Amino acid sequence: MALKTHRPLTPAARFKALPAFDEITKSKPEKSLLETKKRSGGRNNRGRLTMRHVGGGHKQKYRVIDFKRRKRDIVAVVIGIEYDPNRSSRIALIEYTDGEKTYILAPIGLAVGSKVVAGDNVAPEVGNALPLKAIPLGASIHNVELTPGRGGQIARSAGQQVILNNRESGYALVKMPSGEIRKINENAYATIGQVGNVDHMNVSSGKAGRSRWKGIRPTVRGMVMNPIDHPMGGGQGKSKGGGGRHHPMSPWGQLAKGFKTRRKHKQSSTFIVERRKSKKKQ
């Protein structure tokens, strides 16, 4: 994927860098795989605002993605690469030999006409889904299941990949995008390859309006608020919270830097072999 820059004829165009959509081959989605997407505006069933900075945005239809790769040992052909407004990655429309169509995440190297298949004994090629016990060590994978049969939950966004490091005692050791090394049941499925649209991280909107199209409302810094509205507010002019040094925190007093929010005895901690922020040995 490439990014498209613009001549600085307007302030918005000066720093704008948007996707070029070179890899898109199909402009309209498959109607049978669309679902209505209801927007809440960040409010719960009582109408209370529970998520800030959410609202507005363009209407979207949800594309049903097959994260489980349900059909096993049946070859499918890629008939189109599409844009998905609900995620950063591109999606591929595939058609099985029995005529059924479904969407999967589009990894790098997957093109129209490519054949993909899921199963226990298939070749470890781009777009194919296999259990972790059948994937060669050192391979790049994405859409990895945490629990066998639940569907892929790890490495699903643009440019993400997980590296299969080792296998021991019925578990596969995989290195997460964050650097964390985690044990996952070797019967869990994963897809070969790296998720496409790698340049997504370099996209620059160029103007606030594009965030509004995406349903993102403005965010105001706590430091410029009044003391009644935020713990870091108040003070004469620019001050670090009420005229004195105040640690960065949320509007409800939760420390924002350095405060660990993960539970000490969380059940899944037993599967973490190495933390993403492990202390380096001197």
Side-chain angles (χ1 to χ4, degrees):
M1 168 201 163
L3 292 181
K4 182 172 60 176
T5 55
H6 301 74
R7 292 172 63 198
L9 300 179
T10 63
R14 184 173 299 276
F15 301 107
K16 189 183 292 184
L18 300 180
F21 300 107
D22 295 334
E23 67 276 25
I24 303 297
T25 64
K26 193 169 173 291
S27 57
K28 292 188 177 179
E30 180 67 27
K31 283 190 176 181
S32 62
L33 296 172
L34 295 182
E35 287 184 357
T36 303
K37 186 178 176 184
K38 186 178 179 182
R39 291 183 291 178
S40 65
R43 289 161 174 81
N44 63 8
N45 60 348
R46 297 174 60 196
R48 298 288 178 87
L49 197 68
T50 55
M51 187 178 293
R52 300 180 300 158
H53 320 309
V54 175
H58 204 288
K59 285 185 178 179
Q60 298 170 337
K61 289 279 190 178
Y62 181 74
R63 279 76 167 161
V64 179
I65 312 292
D66 183 14
F67 293 115
K68 293 185 179 182
R69 301 296 291 269
R70 295 176 296 104
K71 296 177 88 74
R72 302 288 161 85
D73 301 313
I74 302 177
V75 177
V77 179
V78 178
I79 58 177
I81 306 294
E82 298 182 21
Y83 166 78
D84 188 348
N86 305 292
R87 63 193 70 254
S88 57
S89 62
R90 303 289 179 243
I91 56 175
L93 181 64
I94 61 175
E95 184 175 13
Y96 291 96
T97 51
D98 59 3
E100 184 181 347
K101 294 179 181 178
T102 187
Y103 281 123
I104 63 170
L105 299 180
I108 297 173
L110 199 71
V112 175
S114 299
K115 293 183 178 180
V116 295
V117 61
D120 292 351
N121 300 307
V122 302
E125 297 173 353
V126 172
N128 289 354
L130 302 84
L132 291 171
K133 63 184 177 183
I135 298 176
L137 297 181
S140 295
I141 52 179
H142 67 278
N143 190 37
V144 186
E145 291 182 331
L146 274 174
T147 304
R150 183 179 287 180
Q153 295 175 271
I154 301 171
R156 304 195 320 193
S157 58
Q160 294 296 312
Q161 63 178 336
V162 167
I163 306 298
L164 179 59
N165 277 357
N166 202 355
R167 276 187 290 267
E168 59 180 33
S169 306
Y171 287 94
L173 270 61
V174 298
K175 188 173 184 180
M176 302 289 187
S178 63
E180 176 181 295
I181 297 177
R182 176 183 278 259
K183 290 194 295 186
I184 299 177
N185 192 312
E186 64 178 11
N187 293 313
Y189 263 67
T191 308
I192 304 294
Q194 180 183 3
V195 183
N197 198 18
V198 178
D199 279 335
H200 174 76
M201 63 180 291
N202 299 318
V203 169
S204 176
S205 294
K207 62 180 183 180
R210 190 162 179 268
S211 294
R212 299 306 298 265
W213 300 341
K214 292 160 74 174
I216 303 170
R217 297 191 67 241
T219 303
V220 179
R221 291 175 296 133
M223 206 174 79
V224 299
M225 296 183 187
N226 292 321
I228 196 172
D229 298 315
H230 202 282
M232 295 162 60
Q236 302 301 315
K238 269 193 177 180
S239 66
K240 294 292 182 182
R245 182 72 179 113
H246 200 294
H247 288 290
M249 56 176 52
S250 74
W252 305 278
Q254 177 78 288
L255 289 172
K257 291 186 175 180
F259 182 72
K260 294 181 179 178
T261 56
R262 184 181 173 89
R263 294 202 312 270
K264 264 189 177 182
H265 305 291
K266 194 167 183 177
Q267 195 173 5
S268 63
S269 295
T270 56
F271 298 104
I272 299 175
V273 178
E274 186 178 318
R275 298 278 182 181
R276 64 187 180 92
K277 290 183 177 179
S278 60
K279 294 179 181 178
K280 293 181 180 178
K281 295 180 180 178
Q282 294 181 352

